[in-house]
Amino acid sequence: MQTALRWLAAVAGSILAFAVVAVPWAVLSEGADDPWDVIGPVAGVAAAGVLAALGWWASQASGTGARRVRQSARGGGRITQTAGSTGAGTGSPAAAMGEDVRQKARSDGTGDIDQVGGNRV
């Protein structure tokens, strides 16, 4: 739902950009034969630029920007997790956004989960 609202905002912003460029120009260009031959393409380029920028924003991962991880261990089960970013610095922790991890360990002590995660370059 949030993605649809972002795209709706992107399209509305593009239409608004077209109007902001075209309407004042059309009002100020009195007496010209075909002002829309010039106004339309110029306003269209402005609207396309706004749509490109807002379209990029709309296509990004939605949500709060935080990963959601739920883990539980019962009956002697154990969860060990190590995470972090290591490497030359080119990896971005934000690159892994949008993950949803659910882990459960249940048994007589043999249901262990050992996880190592992070961005490694």
Side-chain angles (χ1 to χ4, degrees), residues 7-8 11 14 16 28-29 32 38-40 44 46 48-49 67 77 94 97 109 118:
W7 277 105
L8 183 63
V11 171
S14 177
L16 182 65
L28 293 175
S29 62
V38 176
I39 296 171
R67 297 178 196 168
M97 290 171 69

Side-chain angles (χ1 to χ4, degrees), residues 65 67 84-85 89-97 99 119:
R67 297 178 196 168
S85 298
T90 58
S92 170
M97 290 171 69
E99 293 179 2
N119 297 326

Side-chain angles (χ1 to χ4, degrees), residues 26 69 86:
V69 178
T86 60

Side-chain angles (χ1 to χ4, degrees), residues 73 76-80 104-107 109-114:
R78 191 180 58 156
I79 296 175
T80 304
K104 293 184 179 183
R106 291 185 223 174
S107 70
T110 60
D112 295 342
I113 297 173
D114 188 6

Side-chain angles (χ1 to χ4, degrees), residues 1-24:
M1 181 69 174
Q2 187 177 12
T3 303
L5 291 175
R6 283 182 175 213
W7 277 105
L8 183 63
V11 171
S14 177
I15 293 169
L16 182 65
F18 185 91
V20 165
V21 172
V23 171

Side-chain angles (χ1 to χ4, degrees), residues 9 13 18 24-25 46 51 55 57 75 83 97 107 114-116 121:
F18 185 91
W25 194 347
L51 183 61
W57 167 73
M97 290 171 69
S107 70
D114 188 6
Q115 176 181 354
V116 179
V121 182

Side-chain angles (χ1 to χ4, degrees), residues 69-81:
V69 178
R70 295 167 306 278
Q71 298 176 327
S72 63
R74 294 184 191 172
R78 191 180 58 156
I79 296 175
T80 304
Q81 182 176 17

